[in-house]
Amino acid sequence: MGIRATYIADDSQLTIAIEGRFDFSAHQEFRSAYENADPRPVRYIVDMKDTNYLDSSALGMLLLLRDHAGGDGSDITIVNCSQDVKKILTISNFEQLFTIT
């Protein structure tokens, strides 16, 4: 399990890549990935290419990221989801809160 954050200051974009299980054990590392970005990004990308599992705590962490990024005015895209991960996000109606590609 690992979380890798890549910040592009001139584009004001933060990409957070999640590897392995996205569950409560990733809470602190995920939170640190976006809270430590300076200056605050305008756009967030959550890359789930290497994510093989997520649970309800991961859904909560995504909601915390959304709140941090500005709520309804936030620009967050979740990319590269497996079919299983995308199914969980769809069942949870996250496509109404995030752009999922």
Side-chain angles (χ1 to χ4, degrees):
M1 166 65 215
I3 295 183
R4 195 174 60 254
T6 308
Y7 183 61
I8 303 170
D10 55 343
D11 288 339
S12 298
Q13 175 178 299
L14 177 67
T15 300
I16 303 170
I18 302 161
E19 183 180 318
R21 295 174 61 91
F22 189 23
D23 57 20
F24 187 74
S25 66
H27 175 74
Q28 191 59 45
E29 191 175 3
F30 183 75
R31 188 172 166 186
S32 293
Y34 63 81
E35 285 185 343
N36 294 331
D38 185 35
R40 181 181 235 167
V42 174
R43 178 177 160 89
Y44 297 80
I45 305 293
V46 179
D47 188 347
M48 295 198 177
K49 181 179 81 165
D50 296 319
T51 306
N52 55 28
Y53 172 84
L54 77 149
D55 64 8
S56 60
S57 64
L59 298 176
M61 287 184 267
L62 290 170
L63 292 175
L64 289 172
L65 169 61
R66 185 175 185 268
D67 288 343
H68 177 82
D72 289 341
S74 62
D75 183 359
I76 302 172
T77 303
I78 302 172
V79 300
N80 299 322
C81 299
S82 69
Q83 289 299 325
D84 291 339
V85 168
K86 194 166 190 173
K87 183 177 180 180
I88 292 168
L89 295 171
T90 301
I91 289 170
S92 303
N93 288 319
F94 271 47
E95 72 275 357
Q96 294 177 17
L97 304 173
F98 302 92
T99 303
I100 302 172
T101 62

